[in-house]
Amino acid sequence: MIDIERLIDALSDLMAGRGYTISADGTEPMMPRQALAPDCLLPVLVRLAEEKWRTDAGAVSFGLAIDPDDRAFCGHTLRAVHHAPVAILVLCVDQVLRTVADEEGVVTLDALQAHAAAP
């Protein structure tokens, strides 16, 4: 099992290094650690990363423990990642963000939702 704080640190570094920002409403960007909190967008990003890994590599599940949470931003909280190294998660999240970010590196909730709903 990986340390969630270590994952958040690695993804924060990815966002800073690639110039990604996440915007809930298309205007004011969220702070990276706020967006990457286990009860904010982290469950969404790791779930999309897992699907990317399965589709592209034909690999098995990351062993995500994501629980429903009425108080969470997206209705779910990431509790654990059991079967994936941080490096693979970062690479897969990067692929997802690269796909949904606009030309300035802004990722909106609408773009994430559209990506998640795509066949």
Side-chain angles (χ1 to χ4, degrees):
M1 183 165 66
I2 67 166
D3 177 45
I4 298 294
E5 284 301 314
R6 184 171 165 234
L7 175 60
I8 292 169
D9 289 343
L11 291 175
S12 293
D13 289 346
L14 168 72
M15 289 179 65
R18 295 272 196 206
Y20 297 127
T21 57
I22 297 179
S23 175
D25 60 5
T27 58
E28 189 67 30
M30 299 172 82
M31 297 303 297
R33 291 203 58 90
Q34 173 195 9
L36 296 169
D39 62 349
C40 195
L41 292 177
L42 188 60
V44 173
L45 293 173
V46 296
R47 179 61 190 98
L48 291 172
E50 179 184 56
E51 190 57 34
K52 181 77 173 152
W53 181 245
R54 266 195 229 164
T55 301
D56 291 356
V60 296
S61 165
F62 286 168
L64 303 177
I66 298 175
D67 298 332
D69 183 347
D70 293 337
R71 295 175 292 157
F73 184 77
C74 289
H76 293 82
T77 296
L78 178 69
R79 301 280 181 222
V81 179
H82 293 284
H83 306 301
V86 171
I88 295 295
L89 282 161
V90 170
L91 288 171
C92 292
V93 168
D94 186 30
Q95 288 294 313
V96 169
L97 294 177
R98 194 177 309 177
T99 300
V100 300
D102 68 13
E103 56 278 350
E104 284 101 32
V106 176
V107 176
T108 64
L109 296 182
D110 289 341
L112 282 171
Q113 186 173 16
H115 181 72

